[in-house]
Amino acid sequence: MPIYFLLFFCWIVIACNNETKVSNSNVVEKERTILELDHAKNFTIEKEGTYTILTITKAWKNAQEEFQYVLYPREEQAPTNYPNAVTIPVPVERIICTSTIDVAFLDFLEATDKIVAMSNGAYVYNKNVQTALKEGRVMDIGGSNTIDYEKALTSNADVAMVYSIGDQASYKKFNEMGIPAVLLSDFMEKTPLGRAEWAVFVACLLGKENEALRKCSQIAAKYQQLQERATRHNRKPTVLTGAVYKGTWYVAGGKSFMATFIQDAGGRYLWEEDNSLSGVPLDFEAVYAKALEADYWINMSSWTNKDDLVDSESKYQDFKAFQEGQLYNYYKRGTAQGGSDIFESAIVNPHLVLKDLIHIFHDEQVEEDSLYYYQEL
């Protein structure tokens, strides 16, 4: 009799253990797993069952709240247990773009055919999107501050991509209209590779995050190879950026993407000690005193030739970089309307920007056809 009791007791223990394992398995399925990113620090991607949860940590400077999006399969019911999140069925098929940067990410993901409406379309460099706008396949809904929301509503878009600049007006308006608005805060990243990795954020809307991760990894490898190549040059030329605009000279902040590009290309940025992510306003005299002997001068607003540049301010010709012809701007790939591809495809191709700058700073002979985004004034 005791042996039967012992066998019965063992069976109960085994059964209980099996039940516990099933229970644990169910718990694991409900746990969130984090999709690891290599460079981007301002958003997270979490997977919870069939849901993808996107969280933006800081949408803009001094933002006080996080923004969250819960993506769920189109064939399922919308989740109701995320009261502070915007819920979006995926994959999305119809997208409103409000910035050329949106176009860059979608082109990187081979998804510009998903664009059904766009604001600021006059500044688009992408030839396919330009053609679609001209032919009416992509609806023109105005500019940043003049979006025709009623017209946008007729596009039957699944989402609107809204560039985060601290003004939530368009973000709120699209959501009120029933078009889920998705903020892009790539400009808050601290490195060009971190910014490029926002392609993965956008890819989640399309169900292409694995493809995006692979492509971003390839871009990062190319960038890092170029960066390593730049370290072989002992000379570190000094670099000036910007130009006068309405009486103020705006130079790139010391923690900006451009400052990082200059450093990674083996240059010494004259305002490298500054802590700003964006442009720094200075008076002409302050820049004149500090940068008169700079070896190179780049990104001088919209100027494309030396004559027009010096006509706007005669003292520009006093600068060493001007006298030696070391002036380069990013309008090689530009449009007649003033658009520049440096603000579009360069976002997801930072290695090409870096390649240009390394060539400019370190090669004795710079040929026009050897540069991608930049050209000599």
Side-chain angles (χ1 to χ4, degrees), residues 38-331:
D38 293 325
H39 302 281
K41 307 299 180 186
N42 197 35
F43 74 93
T44 60
I45 303 174
E46 298 171 287
K47 298 288 185 176
E48 186 178 278
T50 57
Y51 301 157
T52 299
I53 303 166
L54 305 177
T55 304
I56 300 175
T57 309
K58 189 176 287 292
W60 54 80
K61 185 179 179 180
N62 300 324
Q64 300 300 310
E65 61 180 313
E66 293 185 339
F67 287 81
Q68 193 170 81
Y69 307 90
V70 177
L71 315 181
Y72 63 95
R74 191 170 284 279
E75 64 273 12
E76 294 185 11
Q77 292 292 320
T80 58
N81 54 331
Y82 302 91
N84 297 319
V86 175
T87 56
I88 302 172
V90 292
V92 299
E93 294 294 336
R94 301 176 66 81
I95 301 173
I96 294 174
C97 294
T98 61
S99 166
T100 59
I101 292 172
D102 306 343
V103 174
F105 288 128
L106 292 173
D107 185 57
F108 184 72
L109 300 166
E110 300 179 349
T112 54
D113 60 314
K114 308 294 183 186
I115 303 172
V116 294
M118 176 154 197
S119 65
N120 296 302
Y123 299 105
V124 173
Y125 182 84
N126 185 284
K127 300 298 188 270
N128 291 332
V129 178
Q130 278 186 12
T131 301
L133 280 163
K134 289 176 183 176
E135 295 178 352
R137 288 182 285 112
V138 171
M139 189 181 297
D140 186 341
I141 56 171
S144 297
N145 301 316
T146 58
I147 293 176
D148 187 335
Y149 291 102
E150 291 185 4
K151 188 176 181 181
L153 190 59
T154 66
S155 69
N156 297 315
D158 297 323
V159 296
M161 294 169 64
V162 179
Y163 205 54
S164 166
I165 54 173
D167 179 6
Q168 296 185 50
S170 57
Y171 181 79
K172 290 179 179 178
K173 185 65 176 179
F174 278 121
N175 281 320
E176 288 170 0
M177 292 166 51
I179 301 176
V182 179
L183 287 174
L184 290 184
S185 303
D186 54 283
F187 65 94
M188 289 297 293
E189 293 293 336
K190 295 184 177 180
T191 67
L193 290 177
R195 190 181 199 188
E197 212 165 35
W198 273 74
V200 184
F201 181 96
V202 176
C204 289
L205 298 169
L206 304 164
K208 291 187 171 185
E209 52 265 49
N210 290 329
E211 175 187 340
L213 282 167
R214 175 181 56 79
K215 293 182 74 172
C216 285
S217 179
Q218 293 171 348
I219 295 294
K222 293 176 183 178
Y223 188 99
Q224 289 160 348
Q225 287 172 1
L226 286 165
Q227 189 178 2
E228 193 278 330
R229 172 186 145 194
T231 63
R232 300 174 194 165
H233 297 277
N234 294 323
R235 177 175 173 265
K236 286 188 175 295
T238 52
V239 183
L240 164 66
T241 65
V244 173
Y245 177 73
K246 293 184 177 181
T248 301
W249 193 314
Y250 291 88
V251 300
K255 302 302 179 187
S256 65
F257 298 119
M258 187 48 58
T260 301
F261 276 127
I262 293 169
Q263 179 181 352
D264 290 348
R268 185 173 74 81
Y269 183 45
L270 291 174
W271 278 267
E272 62 187 0
E273 301 301 324
D274 177 80
N275 290 317
S276 304
L277 290 172
S278 55
V280 179
L282 299 169
D283 58 46
F284 186 95
E285 289 72 22
V287 178
Y288 191 93
K290 188 168 186 173
L292 190 64
E293 295 299 315
D295 296 310
Y296 291 90
W297 182 2
I298 63 173
N299 303 3
M300 57 290 292
S301 188
S302 58
W303 302 111
T304 56
N305 68 75
K306 293 176 70 175
D307 290 339
D308 290 344
L309 179 65
V310 79
D311 283 346
S312 71
E313 172 52 70
S314 61
K315 288 184 179 179
Y316 281 152
Q317 60 190 333
D318 294 344
F319 287 79
K320 172 187 171 183
F322 186 97
Q323 295 171 1
E324 297 185 356
Q326 301 296 354
L327 284 70
Y328 293 86
N329 213 354
Y330 43 56
Y331 275 94

Side-chain angles (χ1 to χ4, degrees), residues 350-370:
H351 63 297
L352 297 180
V353 179
L354 185 63
K355 186 177 180 180
D356 274 4
L357 294 178
I358 291 173
H359 188 30
I360 291 169
F361 296 162
H362 299 295
D363 292 344
E364 291 185 8
Q365 190 69 30
V366 179
E367 301 294 342
E368 180 70 18
D369 60 0
S370 63

